Amino acid sequence: MEQLEDEGSSSGRGLSGVDKYELDWRNILTIANDRTLYDLRHMAVRGDLRASPFRSLCWAVFMGALKPPSSEWVKQREAHREDYLQLKDRYMLNPHLNTDGSDDPLSQSSESLWNQHFCDQELCAVIKQDVVRTFPGVDFFRKAPIQDMMTNILFCYARRYPKMCYRQGMHEILAPLIFVIHSDQQAMAHIQELDPTVDPNLVTILNPSHLEEDSFSIFSQIMDRIASFYRITDL
């Protein structure tokens, strides 16, 4: 596998940007099918993924958000996206849509949509306080749509895992994910403009319309591994 990667790198010299991109994509598909991920990890350790337009996909593979074989990545990614959309439908409630009029906005009942709504607003306010301070020197994170996206992701994570909920600093784990996934998606979109025949599976996997869902997928996997650092225990 390592030989394949080295040959791919050397044979990529002199190729057009589109051809080099597609060659790198085929190389990633091949070495990511090895369940030990030996060669992919070796590339990461050597720093070869630093400028890769597929770095976010490699992160997804390392974290288990995408699993071998690579031929299943489209199905896996679509399933993760649907899961996140269902989370938003379940947790991002609008009590104004409750038409039966039986729910009192002043209710303290755990079953009350209004009570949950006010609790959610408090949670979002706490999250937003951190989000707006994310990497203040980077213009990307000053954009309102990106801040809203980060707030949505962190809110849905907190609601899905109430024992963990939201902890200060989680936004700093999420931010690099969104930035790199966005960069990879934009690189793919640019290649697609130059070559509309680019692999349709890649177009689906790196569809820029799903930045929020794809970021949540990898973020959740990372948090699953580092959650113990955020848990508050009695001393």
Side-chain angles (χ1 to χ4, degrees):
M1 290 296 183
E2 187 175 345
Q3 182 181 4
L4 171 65
E5 171 220 323
D6 291 339
E7 289 176 354
S9 298
S10 61
S11 62
R13 295 169 187 164
L15 294 177
S16 69
V18 172
D19 290 340
K20 178 63 166 59
Y21 181 90
E22 293 179 341
L23 178 64
D24 289 347
W25 168 237
R26 291 193 297 271
N27 193 27
I28 291 292
L29 285 177
T30 300
I31 63 178
N33 276 325
D34 176 11
R35 292 188 178 274
T36 68
L37 300 178
Y38 175 83
D39 290 303
L40 195 60
R41 294 181 191 278
H42 191 56
M43 289 176 66
V45 170
R46 287 206 316 258
D48 293 346
L49 300 179
R50 189 177 296 116
S52 171
F54 307 110
R55 184 162 53 151
S56 68
L57 294 184
C58 295
W59 288 358
V61 172
F62 289 143
M63 291 295 103
L66 291 176
K67 300 176 181 179
S70 56
S71 59
E72 295 294 313
W73 284 359
V74 169
K75 291 181 180 179
Q76 293 173 22
R77 182 136 279 189
E78 289 178 339
H80 291 316
R81 290 167 179 170
E82 180 60 27
D83 175 66
Y84 179 70
L85 293 177
Q86 290 179 6
L87 284 181
K88 290 185 73 174
D89 287 342
R90 184 186 314 160
Y91 295 130
M92 304 188 81
L93 305 173
N94 184 351
H96 295 282
L97 299 180
N98 183 19
T99 58
D100 63 12
S102 61
D103 196 359
D104 186 346
L106 300 180
S107 173
Q108 298 298 308
S109 169
S110 60
E111 302 297 322
S112 169
L113 288 179
W114 278 104
N115 183 43
Q116 185 63 60
H117 171 71
F118 291 130
C119 290
D120 290 346
Q121 291 301 300
E122 291 178 7
L123 174 59
C124 284
V126 171
I127 293 172
K128 197 64 176 284
Q129 280 184 328
D130 286 343
V131 166
V132 297
R133 295 196 294 262
T134 303
F135 298 125
V138 181
D139 289 342
F140 178 79
F141 295 106
R142 306 276 63 76
K143 299 176 182 178
I146 297 300
Q147 293 182 354
D148 290 343
M149 189 179 299
M150 291 180 66
T151 301
N152 290 343
I153 292 171
L154 294 168
F155 169 77
C156 286
Y157 178 84
R159 291 285 277 115
R160 183 176 225 178
Y161 302 102
K163 290 185 178 180
M164 172 60 65
C165 198
Y166 172 74
R167 298 283 185 267
Q168 189 174 31
M170 287 182 180
H171 66 296
E172 294 181 338
I173 302 297
L174 174 61
L177 285 176
I178 287 186
F179 186 84
V180 171
I181 294 171
H182 171 78
S183 297
D184 287 359
Q185 289 175 343
Q186 294 306 308
M188 185 283 300
H190 176 64
I191 292 296
Q192 188 181 24
E193 289 179 355
L194 299 175
D195 179 13
T197 66
V198 67
D199 184 353
N201 288 334
L202 177 58
V203 173
T204 299
I205 292 169
L206 286 178
N207 188 331
S209 300
H210 298 289
L211 176 58
E212 186 171 329
E213 300 99 298
D214 296 345
S215 298
F216 179 85
S217 174
I218 304 179
F219 174 76
S220 296
Q221 292 293 330
I222 291 177
M223 288 306 304
D224 186 54
R225 289 160 173 76
I226 66 173
S228 60
F229 295 104
Y230 285 89
R231 291 195 181 98
I232 299 175
T233 57
D234 295 330
L235 299 179

